[in-house]
């Protein structure tokens, strides 16, 4: 089919954007083949009341709660942990550094956007950070206007003496990886850079150029340890990790198994939990972010949508079983890399409560019951899915529940995330963040299960772009407890394998057209996000047609 070009005026912006709707035949790269898991936006149920919280620092590993890891099946010795220093980075144009942790304190310094200081302490209410400079206390800055990061100061040898960092096999300067921290909010998107080597660097560059800090990439169990227990194939994983590290992009690795895979050697969840923990531990040991490591994975998502029977070995979803499964993986990862951020699986939005599905709010609540009311030792951040359906991002879930136009349930609103936060508050888990593992809007006009909240709801690619930017702005203004928000999704070139990407429901969620290496086919969502995210840094999007 020939490609066609149409030029449309972009709403609320005085420029035009070329949209190339292509349907070209492409071929799988000869690097092993296979499909990457894709996000699965569906439905969800209502939950508790809306929540508020005070800003907190990024999750920090609790070393005292760690248990021994499952045996790491690699021969690579794990280097000793580096000495880490926390720093605070100014995230506004100018910040008043005050003599006391309140607005009555005298201004002792004006700090500019991007300036960094040693983080010495935090006020009891979490609202103020004590800053240091040149080895001495400087003053206090408002936490909401700063991001907290970590950097390697020195690396101890096995004998405890400080030593200079050694060269890493790949991925940049040894130990000089982006820290495992998240701002509130933080910015990322799902990518598909595993099998299609020819577009890997191009798409990673696009993520960096757009202003994203994180990529979310599937590290499928069967793709790495598919040959049998302890038989690891790191060839593709090494490239994905090091190429992202080279661009200073943080990695959220989704660890899961293709639910349609038959005859996998480890079996199905939850009985494969011990073997899965070994796999997670091996991955975390290889990419443990320490000096001399192959590379760095900063965060791990443990499984995907266990509130669906199809993701749980065909059995009725069981929150207590998932909690046990999650805890095993958490301990294995933390033993290999105590600084890694472990995130629970996001749940599928569904209103069904039967043998094939469980509503997300019920599942989360029963998870907390199974954990004895405390998530310590299970996750550092709670993973949530936040599709927006037919509703604008600011819509109150109560309106989505009362108005059939929006679907008639609270879970049909982006702000249903606040219902899940209320469950965390119910159990006193306010110090930990929510990570939006996927969120977005589709403008699907073709697939019956999706077009009611896509094209039939008036959502086109321009509305999609507007809603995504507004979702980030809403979170920045109202959700101090949110961490990474991962957009659904960068495109997957494999959608074009049959010559027609439009029959893939994921195609309509994507923020760009699937593009071969010799082309970049834009959608408004990528351009608008690029403009917005770069503006937060005082920069301009290099693809802004208004430049």
């Amino acid at each position: 089919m020939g490609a066609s070009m149409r030029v449309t005026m972009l709403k609320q912006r005085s420029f035009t954007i070329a949209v190339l709707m292509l349907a070209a035949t492409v071929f799988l790269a000869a690097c092993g083949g296979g499909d990457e898991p894709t996000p699965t936006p569906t439905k969800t149920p209502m939950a508790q009341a809306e929540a508020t919280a005070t800003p907190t620092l990024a999750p920090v590993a609790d070393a005292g709660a760690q248990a021994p890891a499952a045996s790491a099946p690699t021969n690579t010795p794990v280097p000793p942990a580096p000495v880490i220093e926390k720093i605070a980075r100014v995230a506004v144009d100018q910040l008043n550094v005050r003599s006391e942790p309140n607005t009555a304190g005298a201004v002792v310094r004006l700090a500019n956007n991007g300036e960094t200081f040693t983080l010495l302490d935090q006020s009891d209410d979490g609202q103020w950070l004590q800053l240091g400079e040149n080895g001495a206390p400087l003053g206090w800055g408002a936490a909401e206007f700063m991001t907290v990061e970590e950097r390697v100061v020195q690396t101890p040898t096995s004998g405890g003496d400080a030593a200079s960092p050694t060269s890493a096999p790949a991925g940049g300067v040894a130990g000089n990886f982006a820290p495992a921290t998240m701002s509130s909010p933080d910015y990322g998107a799902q990518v598909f850079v595993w099998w299609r080597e020819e577009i890997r660097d191009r798409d990673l560059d696009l993520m960096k150029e757009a202003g994203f800090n994180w990529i979310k990439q599937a590290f499928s169990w069967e793709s790495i340890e598919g040959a049998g227990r302890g038989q690891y194939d790191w060839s593709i994983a090494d490239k994905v990790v090091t190429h992202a590290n080279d661009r200073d992009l943080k990695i959220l690795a989704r660890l899961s198994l293709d639910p349609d895979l038959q005859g996998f050697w480890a079996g199905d969840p939850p009985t494969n939990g011990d073997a899965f923990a070994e796999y997670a531990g091996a991955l975390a040991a290889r990419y443990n972010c320490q000096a001399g490591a192959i590379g760095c994975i900063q965060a791990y998502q443990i499984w995907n949508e266990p509130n669906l029977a199809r993701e749980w070995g065909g059995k009725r979803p069981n929150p207590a079983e998932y909690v046990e499964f999650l805890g095993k993986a958490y301990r294995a990862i933390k033993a290999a890399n105590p600084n890694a951020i472990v995130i629970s699986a996001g749940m599928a939005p569904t209103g069904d409560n039967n043998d094939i599905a469980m509503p997300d709010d019920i599942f989360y609540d029963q998870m907390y019951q199974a954990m004895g009311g405390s998530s310590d030792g299970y996750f550092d951040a709670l993973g949530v899915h936040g599709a927006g359906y037919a509703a604008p991002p600011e819509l109150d879930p109560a309106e989505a529940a009362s108005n059939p136009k929006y679907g008639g349930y609270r879970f049909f609103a982006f702000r249903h995330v606040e219902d899940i936060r209320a469950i965390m508050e119910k159990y006193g888990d306010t110090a930990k963040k929510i990570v939006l593992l996927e969120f977005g809007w589709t403008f699907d006009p073709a697939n019956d299960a999706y077009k009611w909240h896509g094209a039939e709801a008036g959502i086109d690619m321009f509305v999609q772009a507007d809603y995504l930017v507004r979702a980030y702005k809403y979170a920045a203004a109202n959700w101090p407890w949110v961490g990474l928000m991962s957009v659904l999704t960068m495109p997957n070139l494999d959608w074009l394998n049959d010559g027609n990407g439009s029959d893939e429901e994921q195609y309509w969620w994507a923020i760009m057209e699937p593009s071969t290496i010799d082309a970049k086919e834009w959608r408004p969502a990528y351009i608008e996000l690029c403009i917005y995210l770069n503006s937060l840094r005082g920069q301009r999007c290099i693809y802004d047609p208004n430049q």
Side-chain angles (χ1 to χ4, degrees):
M1 180 185 299
S4 62
M5 182 78 73
R6 69 182 180 89
V7 179
T8 312
M9 290 302 294
L10 182 59
K11 295 177 180 177
Q12 299 179 333
R13 195 168 289 279
S14 59
F15 62 80
T16 58
I17 187 168
V19 181
L20 177 62
M21 306 299 290
L22 62 86
T25 303
V26 296
F27 300 94
L28 280 171
C31 57
D35 296 328
E36 293 187 55
T38 57
T40 51
T42 43
K43 306 175 184 173
T44 11
M46 62 181 163
Q48 322 293 330
E50 298 172 7
T52 58
T54 55
T56 57
L57 302 181
V60 177
D62 182 1
Q66 294 158 18
S71 56
T74 64
N75 295 323
T76 304
V78 178
V83 176
I84 302 296
E85 177 184 67
K86 287 189 176 182
I87 62 172
R89 183 182 299 274
V90 178
V92 291
D93 289 340
Q94 283 196 322
L95 175 74
N96 291 327
V97 181
R98 298 183 178 272
S99 60
E100 298 175 2
N102 54 62
T103 56
V107 176
V108 298
R109 166 84 176 273
L110 279 178
N112 295 317
N113 194 346
E115 281 194 76
T116 59
F117 303 91
T118 305
L119 178 57
L120 302 178
D121 202 356
Q122 183 179 16
S123 62
D124 291 341
D125 61 4
Q127 300 289 333
W128 295 83
L129 304 179
Q130 187 181 27
L131 311 176
E133 190 175 51
N134 299 322
L138 174 64
W140 296 83
E144 64 180 313
F145 301 127
M146 311 194 77
T147 60
V148 176
E149 305 170 5
E150 294 177 346
R151 63 185 175 194
V152 177
V153 180
Q154 60 185 19
T155 304
T157 64
S158 57
D161 296 324
S164 300
T166 57
S167 297
V173 179
N176 191 25
F177 302 107
T181 56
M182 291 179 182
S183 60
S184 183
D186 216 332
Y187 307 98
Q190 169 84 31
V191 297
F192 296 92
V193 296
W194 190 271
W195 295 115
R196 304 307 294 257
E197 186 170 12
E198 72 272 23
I199 54 90
R200 181 180 298 138
D201 286 347
R202 191 273 310 275
D203 281 11
L204 291 174
D205 286 339
L206 284 170
M207 289 290 292
K208 187 69 175 179
E209 290 162 353
F212 290 111
N213 300 320
W214 289 80
I215 64 167
K216 178 188 170 187
Q217 169 65 50
F219 285 70
S220 301
W221 191 1
E222 69 273 16
S223 297
I224 293 177
E225 200 183 6
R229 193 168 198 163
Q231 300 180 51
Y232 299 106
D233 179 359
W234 301 113
S235 57
I236 298 177
D238 281 354
K239 293 177 183 177
V240 171
V241 171
T242 57
H243 287 219
N245 290 163
D246 286 342
R247 290 158 175 81
D248 208 29
L249 288 166
K250 300 181 185 182
I251 301 172
L252 166 55
R254 170 180 148 177
L255 309 188
S256 58
L257 185 68
D258 182 355
D260 297 324
L261 183 65
Q262 300 294 317
F264 185 64
W265 62 267
D268 297 319
T271 56
N272 62 7
D274 289 336
F276 177 78
E278 290 181 9
Y279 163 66
L283 197 69
R286 186 171 184 85
Y287 308 116
N288 65 8
C289 310
Q290 297 177 9
I294 295 293
C296 177
I297 294 178
Q298 287 84 358
Y300 296 86
Q301 171 188 333
I302 307 304
W303 216 250
N304 182 62
E305 298 181 341
N307 66 324
L308 300 180
R310 74 179 299 267
E311 298 277 3
W312 203 240
K315 297 179 290 295
R316 179 177 176 81
N318 187 313
E321 289 179 350
Y322 173 67
V323 161
E324 182 179 4
F325 184 94
L326 174 63
K328 290 176 179 179
Y330 180 93
R331 293 189 291 273
I333 291 170
K334 289 295 189 176
N337 181 4
N339 294 315
I341 302 172
V342 178
I343 305 167
S344 65
M347 304 302 153
T350 175
D352 296 330
N353 192 2
N354 50 37
D355 286 343
I356 64 170
M358 181 181 290
D360 62 348
D361 59 339
I362 295 175
F363 196 96
Y364 286 121
D365 196 278
Q366 291 187 18
M367 277 180 61
Y368 273 98
Q369 293 176 38
M371 294 183 295
S374 173
S375 64
D376 290 347
Y378 295 96
F379 61 77
D380 298 313
L382 185 72
V384 177
H385 289 172
Y389 296 98
E394 303 86 0
L395 188 88
D396 191 316
E399 174 69 10
S402 64
N403 191 339
K405 169 184 176 181
Y406 297 117
Y409 292 93
R410 293 180 68 89
F411 58 77
F412 285 129
F414 170 71
R415 284 178 55 196
H416 173 58
V417 176
E418 295 169 6
D419 296 336
I420 308 307
R421 182 63 183 182
I423 296 174
M424 297 181 73
E425 290 196 327
K426 172 183 173 182
Y427 290 95
D429 205 9
T430 57
K432 293 184 179 178
K433 294 183 184 295
I434 280 178
V435 168
L436 269 176
L437 295 167
E438 57 187 55
F439 80 100
W441 282 263
T442 180
F443 57 99
D444 194 332
N447 297 285
D448 289 340
Y450 299 92
K451 64 183 181 181
W452 76 266
H453 60 84
E456 291 181 356
I459 297 178
D460 59 21
M461 63 177 66
F462 303 104
V463 175
Q464 177 200 49
D466 181 49
Y467 282 5
L468 287 169
V469 173
R470 283 164 58 182
Y472 273 134
K473 289 181 177 179
Y474 181 87
N478 298 281
W479 292 352
W481 36 261
V482 77
L484 170 63
M485 297 172 61
S486 182
V487 171
L488 189 68
T489 174
M490 284 289 282
N492 184 353
L493 202 54
D494 287 347
W495 296 339
L496 301 180
N497 284 343
D498 64 354
N500 178 23
S502 64
D503 60 356
E504 298 277 350
E505 62 93 4
Q506 291 290 329
Y507 170 88
W508 302 101
W509 297 81
I511 62 175
M512 279 187 66
E513 288 286 325
S515 307
T516 54
I517 188 58
D518 58 347
K520 293 176 182 176
E521 283 90 30
W522 307 116
R523 285 180 179 175
Y526 178 89
I527 300 297
E528 287 295 303
L529 287 168
C530 180
I531 292 170
Y532 173 66
L533 296 178
N534 275 278
S535 74
L536 298 178
R537 304 177 180 183
Q539 301 171 354
R540 297 198 67 179
C541 171
I542 63 172
Y543 301 111
D544 182 353
N546 275 344
Q547 289 195 107

